[in-house]
Amino acid sequence: GEPIPCVLDSVSPNPKYVVILFPGGTGAMNPRMRDGRLVYDFAGNFLIRARKFFVDEDFATVATNSSDSEERIQGVLDDIKRRYPNAKTYLAGTSNGTFYTMKLAAYLQDRIAGEIHSSSRAQIYSFNAKEFRNRHLVIHHVNDWCRVTPYSAALRSHEKFGNDFIAMEGGISTGNECEAFAHHGFNGLQRTTA
């Protein structure tokens, strides 16, 4: 019964795929209109910054606040199904957003086509994606030095469980190692990672 803030980006009336984006940090985008313009928090976050590279004739994105509420994610899924009844839906989270993608995995396994976990929290170490009936992909930068998202945990999930895994290299790292413009946020690799 409560509104779910989200930002829909689409260029096609009938995309084949819709990717729900869960940002990192506090996970709260808080989209709102100010002086006739859309503004939101965490605009520099990797997934929010890279969403323009997802969107084309085949792909649309829905950026929303990260949450582990099944009722809330179902509200987003219902809206996507109403708008795009034939599209396959994926959930992508980055950094702290992966805390929620992992928590929702069991609930979503028969409701969406798959999940993407990027710059995952250390809990990815014990996350067995093969337990679920949909697809999962783990993406991590080899030089992500953020203490809560170690590359070693993402690599170990691949080695231990066989989780599908892409290791990224290159890009630019500036500022705090846990922020969006470090390797943690795939800075300089937005297009390649998306």
Side-chain angles (χ1 to χ4, degrees), residues 14-17 81 84-88:
N14 296 303
K16 294 179 185 175
Y17 309 97
K81 191 67 167 172
Y84 310 116
N86 299 315
K88 290 185 178 182

Side-chain angles (χ1 to χ4, degrees), residues 20 72-82 89 107-108 111-112:
I20 302 168
R72 190 173 179 287
I73 194 67
Q74 190 60 56
V76 174
L77 293 175
D78 291 346
D79 186 60
I80 291 169
K81 191 67 167 172
R82 181 182 58 77
T89 303
Y107 178 76
L108 293 173
R111 290 175 168 82
I112 64 173

Side-chain angles (χ1 to χ4, degrees), residues 13 25 90 105 111 168 181:
Y90 288 84
R111 290 175 168 82
M168 299 299 294
F181 293 99

Side-chain angles (χ1 to χ4, degrees), residues 47 70 120 140 167 169 189 194:
L47 282 177
E70 294 174 0
S120 300
H140 216 97
E169 295 184 67
L189 298 172

Side-chain angles (χ1 to χ4, degrees), residues 46 50 52-53 186 188-194:
F46 160 65
K52 63 186 174 189
F53 301 118
F186 305 101
L189 298 172
Q190 293 87 215
R191 181 184 298 274
T192 306
T193 308

